[in-house]
Amino acid sequence: MSKRTATVTAPPMPEAAHGLDLLRTMLLIRRFEETCAELYSAARIRGFVHLYVGEEAVATGVMSALGPDDAVLSTYREHGHALARGLPVDALMAEMFGKETGCSRGRGGSMHLFDKSRRFVGGNAVVAAGLPLAIGLALADKLQGRDRATVCFFGEGAAAEGEFHESLNLAALWRLPVLFCCENNLYAMGTAIAKEHAQPDIALRAESYGLAAWPVDGMDVLAVERAAQRAVEAIRGGAGPHLLELRTYRFRAHSMYDPDRYREKAEIERWKERDPIDALVASMRAAGQLDDAGLEALRDEVAGLVAAAVDAADQAPFEPVENLTRFITSEAGPEGGQR
Amino acid sequence: MTATLVETTYREALRAAIRQAMLQDERVFLMGEDVGDYGGCFAVSLGLLEEFGPERIRDTPLSESAFVGAGIGAAIGGMRPIVEIMTVNFSLLALDQIMNNAASLLHMSGGQFNVPLVIRMTTGAGRQLAAQHSHSLEGWYAHIPGLRILAPATLEDARGMLPTALRDPDPVLIFEHGSLYNMKGSLPDDAGAVDIDRAAVRREGADVTLITYGGTLGKTLEAAELLAADGISAEVIDLRTLRPLDDATFIGSVRRTHRAVVVDEGWRSGSLSAEISARIMEQALYDLEAPVARVCSAEVPMPYPKHLEDAALPQAATIAEAARRSMRPAAG
Ligand SMILES: Cc1ncc(C[n+]2csc(CCOP(=O)(O)OP(=O)(O)O)c2C)c(N)n1
Ligand SMILES: [Mg+2]
């Protein structure tokens, strides 16, 4: 018998200040990505760029439940994760431009954002390849007796990969402090979930491996935050790994290359009615926590941050070509000095 | 205090190295399939579970990609994992983790995340295990920037490469040839870390340089004996480290002998032997008196029967024959 818990119902409104923080983060992600799309069309950003528009509540809610010592593993669709984790907008935009001031010194681009100081162990662009890393990070914490959680994001498409099954089994077998966050946006590139999974209920499958798992409304940032807090608290208390299936939707194409031929416009429009930003704005207005002027001020604030980041990235230097082969091996050399 | 010599085997030397690393550094742990209760599928870790317990001698399920990836994650998380993959054949299920994560993370993150991980695995043929259990793919791994590839061929290296590899801030793969585990000999009782940068001259000679590593070192030394009986003085180079290659040692030797035979249990096409041959061409072409020769495995999936397997692998006789050919004027 499944012990599954229904989606947490109607969480109470948080303090206004906290609601504004969540809203600011979601607005920042949205603005950052809309700017990325424009810059891409203007050929100032290249490579693969995967936008998160529509899914902002997931990263924002989950990150809000974490502490600074927790580790985060992300995918190629990671601008939202990085921004919500607090990586500086300037460093992220510079990375899009491939500049030396980027969070990965320009070597990664959109798909490989890293920040050691925030334990953001980056963007993995091989589907499901981050899950085994999460196992190892959590194992290291367990072996060293550190009270930290490791959070690993991936899509529902990744749940068809072997790494998903191997990693969930290992996490449960070793009772590791991991929170798996499956962002179920119903598509893996152009393949709809009904065509990828015989059993599309990802949380149910996680339960079968012995994890505590439940579905969450991924368009509701407060529901996501509550679920993540509950899971992380349980994990810290030694309850073992958890999986949240965050039910969400991407409003834009899979990547900037994708002509988006595989879904109905009407389906996209229906989901847009559940825009996570509009939803939070509406609840905050209803609770008397936000008015037009307040919303306008927030929009201006994030627009200013992103515009300044674009300017800074534009001005920033490229890494000199002489440095091409830096970081193939560590510059510090062997532990304890020369061999 | 002077060291006394103790009888040992390649397997025991590996075990002693793991044991000492576990005793000296809390961060070190061993993880892989059957490393604990079973004692390691080649009995390398026999007895270590009893001494160190299941947290540090960690049996894993059959999940090569996940436990290799977990080794990478644990290394980033501050541990010094030793991951054992049963054999190179199964490492293919973890190839993505090794190549796209272990080897790439440091560069991809602009120098932020180094991966101090050691992966050990058995390699090679010669035990009639047929096509899926007989690969020598260390040359493939030596293709990948960001990895250091080691092939201990002697007791000293079996004992000494691991501690040095564990001090390396970046991923190191150690390939143990399956035919070597029972190799007997003696080691000083205080034997310890050795360098993992340089190739070694295992036999000095003046007429031809035989370049090899790992499981074919023994056969190559035998070939040198055969050649000596014909009055040909062969120098034998043990590469030891397959990436980064120590060009200076083998190029220096070839400059003196003017002839080279590369012996590699991998297949010939697109191989490590091709790389070595190319480097000799690039750096010492005008010192050569004969084309560089290669003795590699026949390009077939390894057959089961002994006579066919023997015919597919480099042997002392075929190595010696290749060297003799390169000694003839107008060789080829
Ligand atoms: C192992 C692997 N196979 C294929 C791809 C190409 N690819 C990139 S994203 C993607 C879809 C993944 O879908 P999902 O896991 O649902 O994540 P989403 O993109 O929807 O966030 C595919 C097939 C890849 N990067 N890695
Ligand atoms: Mg998806």
Side-chain angles (χ1 to χ4, degrees):
Chain A
M1 257 294 283
S2 159
K3 309 192 298 290
R4 91 180 11 222
T5 323
T7 305
V8 182
T9 44
M13 283 304 287
E15 301 275 295
H18 183 60
L20 285 175
D21 282 345
L22 295 174
L23 183 57
R24 183 185 295 104
T25 301
M26 291 201 289
L27 287 170
L28 177 62
I29 298 171
R30 183 74 55 97
R31 182 68 187 204
F32 183 90
E33 293 213 300
E34 280 168 349
T35 305
C36 284
E38 285 165 23
L39 292 165
Y40 196 92
S41 303
R44 293 169 73 193
I45 294 178
R46 298 282 81 185
F48 279 142
V49 173
H50 306 84
L51 300 182
Y52 197 59
V53 176
E55 306 186 35
E56 294 91 344
V58 175
T60 304
V62 171
M63 298 304 175
S64 158
L66 304 184
D69 289 340
D70 297 326
V72 179
L73 287 129
S74 176
T75 65
Y76 45 87
R77 193 182 302 288
E78 64 171 336
H79 307 157
H81 303 146
L83 285 163
R85 183 60 179 167
L87 273 71
V89 190
D90 285 6
L92 293 174
M93 191 56 84
E95 191 61 32
M96 302 298 143
F97 279 69
K99 296 294 180 80
E100 195 178 14
T101 51
C103 63
S104 308
R105 299 182 66 103
R107 281 170 156 76
S110 165
M111 299 191 288
H112 305 300
L113 308 173
F114 290 87
D115 187 341
K116 193 170 184 177
S117 68
R118 291 175 177 81
R119 299 204 77 220
F120 193 79
V121 194
N124 218 304
V126 177
V127 169
L131 280 87
L133 302 185
I135 299 299
L137 283 157
L139 177 61
D141 287 338
K142 188 171 183 188
L143 289 173
Q144 304 205 349
R146 291 182 299 228
D147 185 23
R148 312 200 289 206
T150 297
V151 178
C152 180
F153 290 90
F154 53 91
E156 88 297 336
E161 293 282 4
E163 273 83 359
F164 171 82
H165 303 275
E166 293 187 8
S167 300
L168 262 59
N169 179 50
L170 268 182
L173 190 67
W174 293 345
R175 274 186 93 76
L176 296 175
V178 186
L179 174 58
F180 295 106
C181 290
C182 179
E183 303 181 309
N184 182 356
N185 61 10
L186 302 175
Y187 290 88
M189 286 184 64
T191 305
I193 187 162
K195 289 174 74 179
E196 11 167 19
H197 292 295
Q199 171 50 274
D201 187 331
I202 310 288
L204 182 67
R205 291 162 78 186
E207 279 187 334
S208 77
Y209 283 113
L211 283 84
W214 64 92
V216 181
D217 179 359
M219 305 308 268
D220 178 348
V221 67
L222 300 177
V224 173
E225 184 183 46
R226 276 263 298 251
Q229 280 167 348
R230 207 178 110 196
V232 170
E233 241 169 69
I235 288 167
R236 289 197 207 289
H242 282 55
L243 179 142
L244 299 178
E245 181 191 334
L246 301 138
R247 297 193 171 159
T248 183
Y249 197 81
R250 65 171 155 72
F251 295 168
R252 303 188 65 127
H254 167 73
S255 74
M256 300 307 291
Y257 280 82
D258 169 15
D260 211 341
R261 293 195 192 95
Y262 43 83
R263 37 180 206 178
E264 299 288 336
K265 289 276 171 306
E267 177 183 295
I268 304 174
E269 291 312 314
R270 267 200 312 282
W271 276 93
K272 281 187 174 170
E273 286 164 20
R274 304 209 44 223
D275 187 313
I277 294 178
D278 294 347
L280 181 61
V281 167
S283 342
M284 289 183 72
R285 278 189 201 274
Q289 293 176 336
L290 186 72
D291 57 15
D292 287 349
L295 181 58
E296 210 47 43
L298 272 186
R299 287 195 194 281
D300 287 349
E301 182 189 333
V302 300
L305 282 173
V306 173
V310 172
D311 282 346
D314 222 6
Q315 308 287 313
F318 282 110
E319 177 116 33
V321 172
E322 301 86 83
N323 290 351
L324 173 66
T325 55
R326 274 186 78 182
F327 314 125
I328 304 297
T329 53
S330 297
E331 293 175 357
E335 244 179 62
Q338 284 310 301
R339 26 169 192 261
Chain B
M1 234 175 59
T2 50
T4 48
L5 288 179
V6 257
E7 289 296 304
T8 189
T9 62
Y10 186 89
R11 171 184 292 111
E12 287 163 359
L14 291 167
R15 185 185 307 141
I18 298 170
R19 182 168 176 272
Q20 187 193 29
M22 303 269 303
L23 288 170
Q24 283 179 351
D25 190 343
E26 286 276 294
R27 300 170 304 171
V28 174
F29 68 102
L30 175 70
M31 154 165 82
E33 291 157 6
D34 281 316
V35 298
D37 291 322
Y38 191 96
C41 78
F42 294 91
V44 169
S45 51
L46 197 66
L48 297 182
L49 174 66
E50 291 72 13
E51 183 171 1
F52 296 104
E55 290 283 299
R56 295 185 69 201
I57 302 293
R58 182 169 284 266
D59 277 320
T60 68
L62 289 150
S63 303
E64 284 80 6
S65 186
F67 72 73
V68 169
I72 298 166
I76 291 172
M79 304 299 287
R80 290 294 177 272
I82 304 171
V83 171
E84 175 174 313
I85 302 177
M86 276 190 175
T87 76
V88 68
N89 311 285
F90 318 135
S91 76
L92 301 186
L93 281 83
L95 188 52
D96 172 58
Q97 287 295 331
I98 296 171
M99 175 141 154
N100 280 319
N101 279 334
S104 306
L105 276 165
L106 180 68
H107 188 82
M108 220 159 63
S109 67
Q112 293 179 83
F113 289 100
N114 64 303
V115 181
L117 167 69
V118 174
I119 303 177
R120 301 173 35 243
M121 63 186 104
T122 303
T123 188
R127 289 167 296 136
Q128 285 195 258
L129 299 179
Q132 295 179 335
H133 283 73
S134 300
H135 292 302
S136 287
L137 300 178
E138 50 278 5
W140 275 15
Y141 286 102
H143 179 64
I144 304 173
L147 300 180
R148 180 178 290 269
I149 308 297
L150 308 180
T154 64
L155 294 177
E156 289 80 6
D157 282 351
R159 178 66 185 82
M161 280 182 158
L162 181 78
T164 317
L166 282 167
R167 283 176 48 217
D168 200 292
D170 302 312
V172 180
L173 273 55
I174 304 181
F175 288 90
E176 303 161 3
H177 196 283
S179 67
L180 297 176
Y181 288 113
N182 292 327
M183 182 167 76
K184 285 200 180 66
S186 54
L187 273 182
D189 60 0
D190 64 352
V194 296
D195 88 86
I196 54 171
D197 296 305
R198 301 261 86 91
V201 178
R202 297 296 183 199
R203 176 185 174 120
E204 291 190 358
D207 299 331
V208 57
T209 300
L210 311 180
I211 303 166
T212 191
Y213 66 90
T216 39
L217 176 62
K219 291 173 177 177
T220 305
L221 287 166
E222 269 178 57
E225 282 295 315
L226 297 175
L227 291 167
D230 295 351
I232 299 169
S233 163
E235 180 143 301
V236 176
I237 307 279
D238 173 4
L239 291 169
R240 301 180 68 246
T241 298
L242 310 186
R243 185 184 186 99
L245 280 169
D246 171 19
D247 297 12
T249 298
F250 65 83
I251 298 287
S253 174
V254 171
R255 289 217 170 99
R256 276 183 278 105
T257 64
H258 311 293
R259 294 175 178 84
V261 178
V262 187
V263 182
D264 180 6
E265 206 179 288
W267 290 307
R268 175 188 305 255
S269 304
S271 66
L272 185 70
S273 66
E275 176 63 27
I276 291 164
S277 172
R279 289 191 189 202
I280 295 171
M281 242 58 98
E282 287 164 350
Q283 298 174 53
L285 179 66
Y286 300 112
D287 295 296
L288 289 175
E289 299 213 352
V292 174
R294 287 191 281 161
V295 183
C296 301
S297 284
E299 303 213 1
V300 293
M302 195 58 70
Y304 159 68
K306 179 149 175 29
H307 70 292
L308 291 182
E309 184 177 43
D310 284 348
L313 292 171
Q315 303 294 354
T318 50
I319 299 165
E321 185 45 36
R324 281 188 207 102
R325 263 203 310 278
S326 78
M327 296 301 297
R328 286 177 206 136

